[in-house]
Amino acid sequence: MNIKDVAIRAGVSVTTVSRVLNNRGYIGKETRKKVEKAMEEINYSPNQIARALQKSQSYILGIIVPDSNHPFFSELIKHVEITANEHNYKVLICNSLDQLEKETKYISMLKENRVDGLIMCSHTLDVEEYKKLSFPVVTFDRIIANHFPYVAADNYRGGEIATEHLIESGCKKLLHISGPLKLDLLPNRRTDAFRLTCMKHNIDHEVIEGTQDNLTFDYFSDFIESEVSVKLTDFDGVFCSNDLVAYALYLYAAKNNIKVPEQLKIVGYDFHSFTRMLQTPKLTTIAQPVSRIGKILSTTVINMVETKELDSINNSVVDVELIKGETT
Amino acid sequence: MNIKDVAIRAGVSVTTVSRVLNNRGYIGKETRKKVEKAMEEINYSPNQIARALQKSQSYILGIIVPDSNHPFFSELIKHVEITANEHNYKVLICNSLDQLEKETKYISMLKENRVDGLIMCSHTLDVEEYKKLSFPVVTFDRIIANHFPYVAADNYRGGEIATEHLIESGCKKLLHISGPLKLDLLPNRRTDAFRLTCMKHNIDHEVIEGTQDNLTFDYFSDFIESEVSVKLTDFDGVFCSNDLVAYALYLYAAKNNIKVPEQLKIVGYDFHSFTRMLQTPKLTTIAQPVSRIGKILSTTVINMVETKELDSINNSVVDVELIKGETT
């Protein structure tokens, strides 16, 4: 089925059909109706691929995440997709599973499919592949080069209000379980803020670095057992890099008769749908506005696509908020 | 950058480059290396769009879900995507949000983009649009026409073992909170099994139908308050249509001093990552093997694409399993 078949069926010229399809030139109301009816009758839909080739636009965005089933990224993807759809863009989803090899393969796949733009939320070390891309790239929580815009919730502020809240709640010795610090990720600023806020208030403190960038609850539970538990008696407050770590720590404490919040206060990070559903305990945490971040990621990359700007210094930093739960 | 530029750079003919790209005909090792080096140097990637147009294959699959952030669908999408990627297919994600209008728009968008196949996990009433599609469609938990294969976990068996477990645990009056039964979904068989198993064992029973197909925890919590709570004292066991309902019911019981499992026994359905992480309570539930379902959905539709079979009666029904937790 092509445009010729539509023309024959409608009894008009191919040019007329093309005008209707592209909304160009004058078309009488009756003629438009005839063409639309013919398209429906022969079940014709304009071939976007052929069009994309012509316009060199595919209306497809890629999104690379470490794990689309992690509650934070799952929620982020939903809002990225809903916003993209409102602008008639589609979203291709890529799970890097934090494997550089997988990520590299995805990038060449996205290049081959001529996606219009890319939202990069991955955590792997190598960013050189991204710099070579000829379409707009927006990153989440990461600066990969000056001309790539990023979207982030205010990580420094998040670390600061988490730490201040623990200090105001009476903690004297603070621990921070960070993400992997080797990567130059913006969440590292939470750790900077933790250190500086503790120093400002003369509070003893220590940082345990997440050694691996595995985002599963099972991994965090094992990590608490093996790396954190031996040190735990030295501290009365812990600022965790995300809510799954905070939850795993709470469960370890409950199992080992450490009373939360009396003996140990816990602050998490994210407040995604898992945390919002969780009732035992209601975590004290720093809320990132996930839906707003997703929306901005989509609109930023779409705006770059449509203005044909590859470079942009239009970074967005959104506010975070302390959610007071039962763990402090 | 096109194939000509690669040929010039490598000092070979366009035909030779084409042979390397398509893995056709004899190419010397050295020549292949030269071409590959040239492609890298000028940052050339074969234009999949142009190729798709030629071959009329895009290597893109669509997946329509009610809500990609629901823990079940989030996990399903991850495994669909990972499996698709292993076969060099990409996945376009579509959130229908259970709005027929949105779903219809997605379907025409997928048609226009010439996706190779579609995985349909939506719950809206109208399936006529799907029957008109000219590419393979695989459904999850739903029969839309005889020639569309479906993938499901054994819903009847799931309802049966849930009900039998409640009866064996000593329940005398059973309630089932179902999904919306108007839709001809395979999960309705859980309700059939509930009714028949109760009748077989002479157990008093009742079904409360979910009136809306909203999948959020907040909706389920409100539903328990407004529709279920008044009747709850009549029953000593409840079989819930999913784990979020079961969790909302457990929380309602805890708040209202109804002891679980002593006074009220609760069985859920799904055992997705949310339930697996949840520790208070550990839900008794029926496990659907989400990762297996995702894998089969992907391989089924890819197999149809590659064998060019639009019709298939290759349905897959996978086993379910009772997970004994603390709520029975």
Side-chain angles (χ1 to χ4, degrees):
Chain A
M1 291 298 157
N2 63 28
I3 187 167
K4 238 190 212 164
D5 302 303
V6 178
I8 292 166
R9 180 80 177 202
V12 300
S13 70
V14 169
T15 315
T16 304
V17 177
S18 167
R19 278 189 184 163
V20 172
L21 281 173
N22 295 299
N23 244 327
R24 248 191 338 240
Y26 171 77
I27 303 283
K29 215 172 163 184
E30 280 308 305
T31 312
R32 176 179 298 276
K33 262 196 193 155
K34 261 199 290 188
V35 172
E36 282 168 356
K37 195 165 158 254
M39 292 200 306
E40 219 190 289
E41 281 167 3
I42 67 172
N43 202 12
Y44 168 84
S45 63
N47 189 335
Q48 280 285 125
I49 293 181
R51 253 198 222 176
L53 200 63
Q54 240 178 348
K55 291 207 223 171
S56 69
Q57 215 187 324
S58 62
Y59 293 93
I60 294 177
L61 306 174
I63 181 166
I64 300 187
V65 293
D67 180 350
S68 66
N69 189 36
H70 181 280
F72 183 86
F73 291 109
S74 166
E75 197 166 346
L76 189 73
I77 290 169
K78 176 181 173 180
H79 294 287
V80 162
E81 195 279 319
I82 288 174
T83 306
N85 184 247
E86 285 165 3
H87 293 83
N88 293 312
Y89 282 76
K90 285 82 57 179
V91 177
L92 269 182
I93 190 174
C94 310
N95 278 294
S96 74
L97 305 177
D98 280 316
Q99 294 165 22
L100 186 56
E101 198 191 341
K102 253 180 116 54
E103 197 167 321
T104 310
K105 189 181 155 200
Y106 271 122
I107 293 172
S108 47
M109 175 200 101
L110 293 170
K111 268 157 73 178
E112 287 174 12
N113 278 279
R114 299 281 190 264
V115 296
D116 288 346
L118 175 60
I119 296 169
M120 185 258 207
C121 312
S122 95
H123 294 173
T124 51
L125 203 54
D126 192 1
V127 295
E128 288 310 310
E129 288 293 328
Y130 288 93
K131 295 186 188 167
K132 284 193 255 166
L133 294 175
S134 56
F135 48 75
V137 178
V138 175
T139 61
F140 169 64
D141 253 357
R142 184 166 192 174
I143 300 175
I144 59 175
N146 275 335
H147 59 287
F148 288 96
Y150 65 82
V151 179
D154 192 338
N155 285 285
Y156 191 90
R157 183 73 190 131
E160 191 175 50
I161 57 180
T163 312
E164 275 172 355
H165 175 68
L166 285 168
I167 296 171
E168 279 162 16
S169 307
C171 293
K172 303 291 177 209
K173 283 180 172 179
L174 289 183
L175 175 67
H176 171 49
I177 304 171
S178 76
L181 299 171
K182 259 175 267 170
L183 296 166
D184 189 22
L185 300 176
L186 289 169
N188 295 4
R189 295 186 182 169
R190 299 174 199 170
T191 306
D192 298 341
F194 170 78
R195 287 205 171 99
L196 284 164
T197 307
C198 285
M199 281 159 66
K200 201 172 112 189
H201 292 270
N202 280 314
I203 294 285
D204 278 352
H205 62 279
E206 197 174 319
V207 173
I208 297 183
E209 187 183 341
T211 47
Q212 225 185 303
D213 198 30
N214 185 317
L215 292 170
T216 66
F217 175 70
D218 289 343
Y219 169 74
F220 292 136
S221 299
D222 289 348
F223 184 75
I224 297 287
E225 287 278 352
S226 63
E227 308 286 324
V228 180
S229 60
V230 283
K231 296 191 164 187
L232 211 51
T233 44
D234 300 345
F235 301 97
D236 53 10
V238 187
F239 167 37
C240 300
S241 57
N242 69 57
D243 286 342
L244 299 189
V245 174
Y247 183 46
L249 179 62
Y250 170 85
L251 293 172
Y252 175 85
K255 212 173 71 184
N256 291 277
N257 298 315
I258 302 169
K259 278 187 187 143
V260 178
E262 295 81 357
Q263 292 168 271
L264 188 71
K265 293 181 173 53
I266 301 174
V267 177
Y269 212 99
D270 283 343
F271 202 54
H272 42 51
S273 53
F274 176 81
T275 321
R276 291 199 301 276
M277 284 194 274
L278 189 68
Q279 304 293 317
T280 317
K282 283 178 194 276
L283 283 175
T284 295
T285 187
I286 306 297
Q288 304 204 67
V290 193
S291 64
R292 247 188 99 204
I293 296 170
K295 197 173 173 158
I296 297 174
L297 283 166
S298 258
T299 51
T300 304
V301 73
I302 290 171
N303 192 41
M304 287 167 77
V305 170
E306 304 205 330
T307 58
K308 299 191 197 307
E309 276 180 59
L310 247 180
D311 293 11
S312 167
I313 45 158
N314 204 357
N315 302 318
S316 302
V317 178
V318 298
D319 279 343
V320 292
E321 187 190 354
L322 177 80
I323 305 292
K324 173 76 177 73
E326 304 161 347
T327 57
T328 56
Chain B
M1 292 299 158
N2 60 30
I3 188 167
K4 239 190 210 165
D5 302 304
V6 177
I8 292 167
R9 180 84 179 199
V12 300
S13 70
V14 169
T15 315
T16 304
V17 178
S18 165
R19 275 190 186 162
V20 171
L21 281 174
N22 294 300
N23 246 327
R24 249 193 334 243
Y26 173 77
I27 304 283
K29 215 174 164 182
E30 281 307 307
T31 311
R32 177 180 297 276
K33 261 196 195 156
K34 260 200 287 187
V35 172
E36 282 168 354
K37 196 164 157 256
M39 291 202 303
E40 218 189 292
E41 280 166 2
I42 66 171
N43 200 13
Y44 169 84
S45 64
N47 190 335
Q48 280 285 125
I49 293 182
R51 252 199 223 176
L53 200 64
Q54 240 178 350
K55 290 208 222 170
S56 70
Q57 215 188 324
S58 62
Y59 293 94
I60 294 178
L61 306 175
I63 181 166
I64 298 185
V65 294
D67 181 349
S68 65
N69 189 37
H70 181 280
F72 183 85
F73 291 109
S74 167
E75 197 166 346
L76 188 74
I77 290 169
K78 176 181 174 180
H79 294 287
V80 162
E81 196 280 318
I82 289 174
T83 306
N85 185 246
E86 285 166 6
H87 293 83
N88 293 313
Y89 283 75
K90 286 84 55 178
V91 177
L92 269 183
I93 191 174
C94 309
N95 278 293
S96 74
L97 305 177
D98 280 318
Q99 295 164 21
L100 186 57
E101 198 192 341
K102 255 181 113 57
E103 196 166 322
T104 310
K105 190 182 154 197
Y106 271 121
I107 293 172
S108 46
M109 175 200 100
L110 293 168
K111 267 157 73 177
E112 287 175 11
N113 278 278
R114 299 280 190 265
V115 296
D116 288 347
L118 175 61
I119 296 168
M120 186 259 208
C121 313
S122 93
H123 295 171
T124 52
L125 201 55
D126 192 3
V127 295
E128 288 309 311
E129 288 294 326
Y130 289 93
K131 295 186 187 166
K132 285 194 255 168
L133 294 175
S134 56
F135 46 76
V137 179
V138 175
T139 61
F140 168 64
D141 252 359
R142 183 166 191 173
I143 300 174
I144 57 174
N146 275 335
H147 59 286
F148 288 97
Y150 65 82
V151 179
D154 193 338
N155 285 287
Y156 191 91
R157 183 73 190 132
E160 189 176 52
I161 57 180
T163 312
E164 276 172 354
H165 175 68
L166 285 167
I167 296 170
E168 280 162 15
S169 306
C171 293
K172 302 292 175 207
K173 281 181 175 180
L174 288 183
L175 175 66
H176 171 49
I177 304 172
S178 75
L181 298 172
K182 259 173 267 170
L183 295 165
D184 191 21
L185 300 175
L186 289 169
N188 296 3
R189 293 187 184 168
R190 299 174 200 170
T191 306
D192 298 340
F194 170 79
R195 286 205 172 100
L196 285 164
T197 308
C198 285
M199 282 158 66
K200 200 172 112 189
H201 293 270
N202 280 315
I203 294 285
D204 278 350
H205 61 280
E206 198 176 319
V207 173
I208 296 183
E209 186 183 341
T211 48
Q212 225 185 302
D213 198 30
N214 185 318
L215 293 169
T216 67
F217 175 69
D218 288 342
Y219 169 74
F220 292 137
S221 298
D222 288 348
F223 185 74
I224 298 289
E225 286 281 351
S226 63
E227 308 286 324
V228 180
S229 58
V230 283
K231 296 190 165 188
L232 212 52
T233 43
D234 300 345
F235 301 97
D236 53 8
V238 186
F239 166 38
C240 300
S241 57
N242 69 58
D243 286 342
L244 298 189
V245 174
Y247 183 46
L249 178 62
Y250 169 86
L251 292 173
Y252 175 86
K255 211 174 73 184
N256 291 278
N257 299 313
I258 301 167
K259 278 187 186 142
V260 176
E262 294 81 357
Q263 292 166 270
L264 187 71
K265 293 181 174 52
I266 301 173
V267 177
Y269 212 97
D270 283 343
F271 203 54
H272 43 52
S273 52
F274 176 82
T275 322
R276 291 198 302 275
M277 286 195 272
L278 190 67
Q279 303 295 316
T280 318
K282 284 178 192 280
L283 283 174
T284 295
T285 187
I286 305 298
Q288 304 204 68
V290 194
S291 64
R292 249 189 98 205
I293 295 170
K295 199 175 172 155
I296 297 174
L297 282 167
S298 258
T299 50
T300 304
V301 73
I302 290 170
N303 192 40
M304 286 167 79
V305 171
E306 303 204 331
T307 57
K308 299 191 196 307
E309 274 180 60
L310 248 181
D311 293 12
S312 168
I313 45 158
N314 204 356
N315 302 318
S316 302
V317 178
V318 299
D319 279 343
V320 293
E321 188 190 354
L322 176 80
I323 305 293
K324 173 76 177 74
E326 303 160 347
T327 56
T328 56

